Amino acid sequence: MDRREEQPGAAGAGAAPALDFTVENVEKALHQLYYDPNIENKNLAQKWLMQAQVSPQAWHFSWQLLQPDKVPEIQYFGASALHIKISRYWSDIPTDQYESLKAQLFTQITRFASGSKIVLTRLCVALASLALSMMPDAWPCAVADMVRLFQAEDSLVDGQGRCLALLELLTVLPEEFQTSRLPQYRKGLVRASLAVECGAVFPLLEQLLQQPSSPSCVRQKVLKCFSSWVQLEVPLQDCEALIQAAFAALQDSELFDSSVEAIVNAISQPDAQRYVNTLLKLIPLVLGLQEQLRQAVQNGDMETSHGICRIAVALGENHSRALLDQVEHWQSFLALVNMIMFCTGIPGHYPVNETTSSLTLTFWYTLQDDILSFEAEKQAVYQQVYRPVYFQLVDVLLHKAQFPSDEEYGFWSSDEKEQFRIYRVDISDTLMYVYEMLGAELLSNLYDKLGRLLTNSEEPYSWQHTEALLYGFQSIAETIDVNYSDVVPGLIGLIPRISISNVQLADTVMFTIGALSEWLADHPVMINSVLPLVLHALGNPELSVSSVSTLKKICRECKYDLPPYAANIVAVSQDVLMKQIHKTSQCMWLMQALGFLLSALQVEEILKNLHSLISPYIQQLEKLAEEIPNPSNKLAIVHILGLLSNLFTTLDVSHHEDDHEGSELRKLPVPQGPNPVVVVLQQVFQLIQKVLSKWLNDAQVVEAVCAIFEKSVKTLLDDFAPMVPQLCEMLGRMYSTIPQASALDLTRQLVHIFAHEPAHFPPIEALFLLVTSVTLTLFQQGPRNHPDIVDSFMQLLAQALKRKPDLFLCERLDVKAVFQCAVLALKFPEAPTVKASCGFFTELLPRCGEVEPVGKVVQEDGRMLLIAVLEAIGGQASRSLMDCFADILFALNKHCFSLLSMWIKEALQPPGFPSARLSPEQKDTFSQQILRERVNKRRVKEMVKEFTLLCRGLHGTDYTADY
């Protein structure tokens, strides 16, 4: 028998069922995968090949697939299978076969040194994996051995081929370490061993990089190899010679990209900041690239300017604190900062003419944080040096934020415009951050520039310049409290002087006014300066988002100062709504704005405005209610209902006030009579019912109807009370005809706010019993097609238990059926439904003692619940839901201890339950741990996580790393 066929691993863990994994079949499957046009056949082949790779037979066919007469695709699969066997099933390999496996891999790598590169790489990865598993004990000088073996003369392979194969092997070794599945303790040992072994690698790399006879392909491979090794946190001082050689290689266009990658990786390793002397030596090397950078910018060579910028930013961003600490070297660090400033202000528009400037923005955050973290004296010195730099940065950023000419911008693709928008948001965030360093002087600086620009009649100014300055103001005002700034009144005075001839400028003017809405609330006398601009902009569809959102902000922040302007705002809004200028979402925002505005008026005024505002829509709805349902009138109905919902979301004539316990909401009474929203709702109630009667089958229309009442209930709270009986009746009819999740969500809101009030309990109870009965019937018919209804039903039940457990005392409620349905819902594949069901049980179990029917059903059917929970933990449910199931176990243990202690022992008794991977001892340990922990919920969650990993066979594997 061929020696290779005696390879280990005949009983490989995770082996596939006994399928016929022969060389011939593997080749057929690969042919199918690559060449069969049928996608289903390809998928089947891929699945079969994945099983083949992990099968014991992989040890036999892998070597045969590497034969010289095979095509590269087949050889590649053989090499990949070897890597998988070595990396995942190392424990299957007998120790006495390590050496022969190593020798065979070396032989194959030597053979492929002059063959297919993709196969060579896979073989190198397989040998790297073997080396990592054997280091340090079974193969103490692995890297030195690799270097020695490949440097030995071999008549079959030329020197360059051997050299490139060795460099490939040395490159993939650290990469394989980073992604390896080694246990944590082994990772530390191997890392330490590799750190020592770099002594065998770096001299070789230096020699190859510096000798003139090395061909370009070898030097490129050397740089990639160095780049790979530095990520193992090699001391920066040990990398000095190679970093300098990499800087020299930047002059060679073929080596430029690899050199940049190597330098950036070396500088960016976290440990590098300990080697301050080496970092100081790097500054002149980086500054020495400035001429090459200027040439690249001048010649439009974006790749070169981008690469040099990456190097400068890597040094500045990663080590600004360490370099600032070297006070005597402040000038050289300032020179580096100025080089980065040049990169920030690189000529051209991002992202069309340059893509470099965006790389630098994080550096300015880091530098500012480091300066402000020093003690007062040192900070004062650096503030003196760097405040002018940061003022210059503001000028540079605002210049970079400027739009191109209208003509140029017209040629940009939609993708380029979107990238530019995101870039401006990043600049905005940077300006906001810089405010912490520069303070009020920054606003004065911007204001002075804008003032000079707008008042200097001699020099024509571009709209782009004006827009950028305003954008700077807006960036700061959006998040910083500018209420005490002495320049905002002047700015508000300047805004009407801006000649708005462009959509982008008009947008920024709107957003700036919106950002100043809180300031306007404190200085209402200035509202009249800007409100006409906003109302005028409402009529322009191109300014839809900015004008509507600004009006909404003004109406929200300044509503008590707006009554004098209310009639005008309502009239303009009505006009643009009727003309259908805005898209649906902006129409909704506009309605919210009007809700805020009307909230501050007298009830008579509100009703008068409401009448004129919504009458046209009511008339339209009446007309639509008569029509035969079709897609176009459905859209119109949903739109009108949406407008009413959004209006009622913000129309609130009283103020909410938190009571002392913090969990309830109450309201100051409305002295002026009935709530206007309730008045309107009562007027349109019949009409809404009429619409519903024709559209009950349509989830979207039902949802839109429910949204009106749900938003009104949330806003009005107790004021909604007069509507409760008729709404309960309507919901009952709706849900009985066609059950929909939105009706259950509205029922939940009513339970939450009104169930505890005796006057409202009867209609709420009747509705609760009705929807429960209908949903239980749905469960009998098969609930799998309605996970949304089951989810909402579970949330309703949990809310009922939380707010009014008395609902479970009613004789007409079949608590047993509810319990069983909830157990069934725990087995749904939809995570939100399972979460909601778990939430129901965590509310139900604590009420075993106080609500007699609940106690009875838990006693009778609690074991069924426990088994469902254990099945889920055993592997039937997603691991992301384990905390929810742990909550049920904790509640069972806390409130039903004696029952749980009996049930859990019985439930875990059968072999193979809840998982065939568990031993009786592991099950026993788990049950004891759970029963002992009745106080610390976090500990129970940890136990469940441990146990579920054991059940799934994942305990101690790399799958648990982020779990």
Side-chain angles (χ1 to χ4, degrees):
M1 183 190 262
D2 190 304
R3 171 82 184 120
R4 285 174 304 217
E5 293 199 4
E6 294 173 4
Q7 280 303 327
L19 298 171
D20 200 8
F21 297 127
T22 61
V23 176
E24 295 74 24
N25 287 344
V26 169
E27 288 193 43
K28 278 181 198 165
L30 283 166
H31 189 274
Q32 198 171 325
L33 178 67
Y34 286 115
Y35 304 111
D36 194 317
N38 185 318
I39 194 75
E40 278 185 36
N41 290 347
K42 279 180 184 290
N43 291 340
L44 281 170
Q46 186 172 26
K47 198 172 176 184
W48 188 89
L49 287 164
M50 285 168 75
Q51 289 178 302
Q53 279 187 316
V54 299
S55 70
Q57 293 94 314
W59 288 117
H60 306 296
F61 66 65
S62 296
W63 302 103
Q64 292 172 29
L65 295 176
L66 289 166
Q67 297 292 346
D69 60 336
K70 307 293 184 192
V71 294
E73 291 95 328
I74 287 173
Q75 293 171 331
Y76 179 83
F77 182 79
S80 293
L82 280 173
H83 172 241
I84 285 170
K85 294 301 287 183
I86 292 167
S87 61
R88 294 193 196 171
Y89 304 112
W90 178 251
S91 57
D92 296 345
I93 306 174
T95 50
D96 63 351
Q97 296 199 16
Y98 290 174
E99 289 304 319
S100 65
L101 186 54
K102 186 205 304 182
Q104 283 184 76
L105 283 167
F106 269 122
T107 305
Q108 291 292 345
I109 288 170
T110 307
R111 193 160 65 74
F112 277 93
S114 52
S116 166
K117 291 289 167 278
I118 58 164
V119 181
L120 173 67
T121 299
R122 274 340 273 165
L123 288 167
C124 288
V125 171
L127 181 56
S129 186
L130 178 109
L132 295 172
S133 296
M134 290 176 72
M135 289 167 74
D137 301 330
W139 194 2
C141 302
V143 179
D145 285 354
M146 290 173 188
V147 173
R148 187 173 44 75
L149 274 160
F150 278 94
Q151 283 181 325
E153 286 298 322
D154 188 324
S155 55
L156 297 174
V157 184
D158 65 86
Q160 186 177 315
R162 281 202 318 280
C163 180
L164 286 169
L166 171 61
L167 288 170
E168 182 64 26
L169 179 56
L170 293 176
T171 303
V172 300
L173 185 63
E175 291 168 359
E176 181 66 8
F177 172 75
Q178 303 287 11
T179 58
S180 68
R181 301 172 174 223
L182 294 171
Q184 209 55 45
Y185 77 95
R186 287 268 305 129
K187 238 177 174 169
L189 285 173
V190 175
R191 184 189 288 279
S193 183
L194 286 170
V196 173
E197 294 260 35
C198 79
V201 178
F202 281 16
L204 171 71
L205 298 184
E206 285 168 35
Q207 181 194 338
L208 288 169
L209 200 53
Q210 287 163 349
Q211 67 188 26
S213 60
S214 288
S216 185
C217 61
V218 169
R219 297 170 79 200
Q220 190 149 21
K221 203 75 195 141
V222 166
L223 288 162
K224 285 182 177 168
C225 185
F226 172 49
S227 191
S228 179
W229 274 81
V230 293
Q231 290 179 67
L232 293 174
E233 294 175 27
V234 179
L236 192 65
Q237 62 194 25
D238 296 351
C239 306
E240 248 183 73
L242 276 166
I243 292 174
Q244 288 184 351
F247 267 99
L250 287 167
Q251 303 306 317
D252 184 332
S253 60
E254 283 185 31
L255 302 179
F256 183 82
D257 289 345
S258 304
S259 302
V260 169
E261 212 58 50
I263 293 165
V264 168
N265 283 342
I267 293 173
S268 303
Q269 52 174 314
D271 201 40
Q273 59 195 14
R274 288 172 45 207
Y275 304 95
V276 177
N277 290 334
T278 305
L279 291 172
L280 288 169
K281 288 180 195 171
L282 293 178
I283 294 180
L285 291 174
V286 176
L287 295 175
L289 301 172
Q290 287 181 100
E291 187 48 42
Q292 191 180 355
L293 174 63
R294 284 196 185 89
Q295 285 295 320
V297 169
Q298 208 170 329
N299 301 331
D301 180 355
M302 284 165 71
E303 282 76 16
T304 301
S305 55
H306 196 83
I308 294 172
C309 173
R310 278 185 66 201
I311 293 170
V313 169
L315 183 58
E317 195 176 303
N318 288 293
H319 305 296
S320 65
R321 175 73 199 217
L323 294 169
L324 284 166
D325 269 328
Q326 311 306 305
V327 181
E328 65 278 16
H329 295 279
W330 70 273
Q331 284 170 306
S332 65
F333 184 60
L334 181 59
L336 176 68
V337 171
N338 284 325
M339 182 178 174
I340 295 172
M341 180 75 81
F342 176 81
C343 295
T344 305
I346 208 158
H349 286 289
Y350 181 95
V352 176
N353 317 110
E354 63 91 7
T355 55
T356 298
S357 56
S358 62
L359 299 177
T360 65
L361 298 180
T362 316
F363 164 74
W364 299 108
Y365 286 74
T366 308
L367 178 62
Q368 179 178 310
D369 283 346
D370 289 336
I371 291 169
L372 296 180
S373 70
F374 285 122
E375 71 282 359
E377 195 178 333
K378 199 170 183 180
Q379 190 184 129
V381 171
Y382 274 129
Q383 284 260 19
Q384 210 173 342
V385 174
Y386 283 100
R387 272 179 75 83
V389 173
Y390 271 87
F391 273 113
Q392 185 192 347
L393 173 68
V394 171
D395 290 344
V396 167
L397 289 176
L398 291 177
H399 182 72
K400 293 296 294 179
Q402 284 187 26
F403 279 89
S405 69
D406 293 341
E407 187 184 359
E408 193 183 334
Y409 193 62
F411 286 113
W412 283 20
S413 68
S414 57
D415 188 45
E416 286 166 342
K417 288 176 180 176
E418 176 59 12
Q419 283 185 56
F420 182 57
R421 185 193 67 77
I422 293 167
Y423 175 66
R424 278 172 48 102
V425 170
D426 292 340
I427 286 177
S428 171
D429 291 343
T430 311
L431 290 169
M432 179 196 80
Y433 206 76
V434 166
Y435 182 83
E436 191 185 347
M437 178 102 154
L438 303 180
E441 198 182 334
L442 171 55
L443 288 176
S444 305
N445 183 293
L446 292 173
Y447 173 65
D448 291 345
K449 284 182 176 145
L450 187 63
R452 281 199 299 276
L453 198 65
L454 295 175
T455 53
N456 187 347
S457 55
E458 292 168 24
E459 282 186 43
Y461 64 86
S462 70
W463 70 261
Q464 286 93 339
H465 198 172
T466 309
E467 190 278 336
L469 286 167
L470 269 181
Y471 186 68
F473 249 113
Q474 176 209 323
S475 303
I476 295 159
E478 265 179 342
T479 42
I480 308 291
D481 182 4
V482 294
N483 279 11
Y484 304 104
S485 167
D486 53 359
V487 302
V488 177
L491 173 65
I492 295 279
L494 281 177
I495 284 175
R497 298 185 62 157
I498 296 171
S499 167
I500 299 176
S501 55
N502 175 281
V503 169
Q504 283 89 8
L505 175 58
D507 258 338
T508 303
V509 168
M510 285 301 111
F511 284 127
T512 306
I513 295 169
L516 295 171
S517 56
E518 285 184 41
W519 185 90
L520 288 168
D522 289 339
H523 306 82
V525 71
M526 303 298 281
I527 291 173
N528 201 31
S529 303
V530 291
L531 187 59
L533 288 173
V534 179
L535 294 178
H536 178 70
L538 274 183
N540 185 343
E542 289 185 293
L543 304 179
S544 183
V545 173
S546 59
S547 62
V548 174
S549 68
T550 296
L551 181 65
K552 183 179 163 184
K553 282 181 180 176
I554 291 173
C555 289
R556 185 181 63 215
E557 300 300 335
C558 313
K559 63 182 175 186
Y560 296 111
D561 301 298
L562 291 179
Y565 314 104
N568 194 16
I569 296 172
V570 172
V572 172
S573 302
Q574 241 179 310
D575 185 49
V576 298
L577 283 166
M578 284 296 122
K579 287 178 179 168
Q580 298 182 336
I581 284 172
H582 302 290
K583 289 182 180 170
T584 301
S585 52
Q586 277 72 55
C587 292
M588 303 307 158
W589 291 358
L590 190 50
M591 278 302 203
Q592 287 179 23
L594 294 172
F596 285 125
L597 172 75
L598 298 181
S599 299
L601 303 181
Q602 295 296 312
V603 168
E604 300 77 39
E605 282 295 305
I606 297 174
L607 287 167
K608 194 170 85 181
N609 278 293
L610 276 177
H611 180 72
S612 69
L613 184 61
I614 64 179
S615 286
Y617 294 111
I618 300 304
Q619 287 163 16
Q620 204 180 337
L621 198 58
E622 282 170 344
K623 190 165 159 254
L624 290 164
E626 299 296 333
E627 292 176 10
I628 297 163
N630 67 61
S632 65
N633 60 24
K634 171 189 161 173
L635 281 175
I637 288 169
V638 170
H639 181 74
I640 293 168
L641 295 174
L643 292 175
L644 294 176
S645 289
N646 281 278
L647 178 63
F648 297 156
T649 301
T650 53
L651 178 45
D652 188 8
V653 293
S654 59
H655 307 287
H656 294 209
E657 189 179 68
D658 289 333
D659 73 359
H660 300 300
E661 289 160 14
S663 61
E664 300 284 335
L665 280 167
R666 60 179 185 159
K667 303 176 57 142
L668 295 175
V670 184
Q672 306 150 302
N675 191 295
V677 173
V678 174
V679 172
V680 173
L681 282 175
Q682 285 177 326
Q683 286 171 358
V684 298
F685 197 81
Q686 295 301 322
L687 174 58
I688 288 174
Q689 283 189 304
K690 190 174 180 181
V691 169
L692 258 183
S693 66
K694 287 195 175 178
W695 289 92
L696 260 180
N697 296 347
D698 194 288
Q700 231 181 324
V701 174
V702 171
E703 214 169 290
V705 168
C706 290
I708 290 182
F709 293 106
E710 193 174 350
K711 287 177 177 177
S712 305
V713 169
K714 278 182 181 173
T715 309
L716 302 179
L717 300 176
D718 295 341
D719 286 353
F720 189 83
M723 295 290 302
V724 170
Q726 60 198 119
L727 182 57
C728 285
E729 193 186 329
M730 184 184 90
L731 274 174
R733 279 205 304 277
M734 274 168 59
Y735 196 74
S736 302
T737 314
I738 294 179
Q740 308 239 11
S742 49
L744 290 174
D745 295 335
L746 180 50
T747 305
R748 188 176 82 245
Q749 281 296 332
L750 292 173
V751 167
H752 176 62
I753 294 165
F754 296 107
H756 63 287
E757 293 184 18
H760 301 301
F761 184 69
I764 299 266
E765 182 188 40
L767 175 61
F768 178 73
L769 292 170
L770 178 64
V771 297
T772 302
S773 167
V774 171
T775 312
L776 292 178
T777 308
L778 193 73
F779 265 91
Q780 287 165 1
Q781 295 161 355
R784 274 301 303 115
N785 296 331
H786 308 285
D788 56 334
I789 291 178
V790 176
D791 182 348
S792 295
F793 181 54
M794 291 300 137
Q795 290 186 56
L796 168 62
L797 294 171
Q799 185 68 266
L801 284 162
K802 196 185 290 184
R803 297 291 287 173
K804 192 69 176 170
D806 290 5
L807 286 165
F808 277 71
L809 287 169
C810 179
E811 287 179 9
R812 284 179 291 151
L813 182 70
D814 190 343
V815 179
K816 192 178 182 74
V818 166
F819 188 94
Q820 289 170 348
C821 290
V823 170
L824 190 64
L826 288 175
K827 301 176 185 184
F828 271 45
E830 291 82 7
T833 308
V834 177
K835 268 187 185 172
S837 312
C838 291
F840 162 66
F841 282 116
T842 52
E843 288 295 339
L844 179 104
L845 293 167
R847 288 171 176 79
C848 283
E850 63 190 76
V851 182
E852 192 266 331
V854 169
K856 187 167 181 271
V857 78
V858 170
Q859 197 148 9
E860 290 171 2
D861 293 335
R863 190 172 180 279
M864 182 206 306
L865 168 63
L866 177 65
I867 287 170
V869 169
L870 291 173
E871 281 172 349
I873 296 168
Q876 284 192 10
S878 161
R879 273 164 50 203
S880 64
L881 293 166
M882 288 306 110
D883 280 358
C884 302
F885 288 107
D887 287 342
I888 297 179
L889 276 182
F890 183 75
L892 276 167
N893 200 26
K894 194 170 180 182
H895 303 285
C896 320
F897 176 72
S898 57
L899 291 168
L900 178 66
S901 52
M902 182 172 62
W903 292 334
I904 199 164
K905 287 188 176 70
E906 288 173 10
L908 290 172
Q909 201 71 44
F913 181 84
S915 163
R917 294 185 176 89
L918 296 174
S919 67
E921 293 75 28
Q922 287 170 324
K923 293 200 269 190
D924 196 43
T925 304
F926 176 66
S927 63
Q928 285 176 21
Q929 284 178 329
I930 291 292
L931 292 168
R932 268 201 300 270
E933 192 53 78
R934 300 178 67 187
V935 178
N936 191 332
K937 191 187 282 189
R938 186 181 55 79
R939 279 286 302 120
V940 174
K941 287 180 179 176
E942 286 167 8
M943 291 169 197
V944 167
K945 281 181 181 174
E946 285 286 302
F947 191 62
T948 198
L949 292 172
L950 287 170
C951 292
R952 296 162 200 259
L954 297 175
H955 198 271
T957 69
D958 62 321
Y959 289 109
T960 65
D962 301 321
Y963 185 47

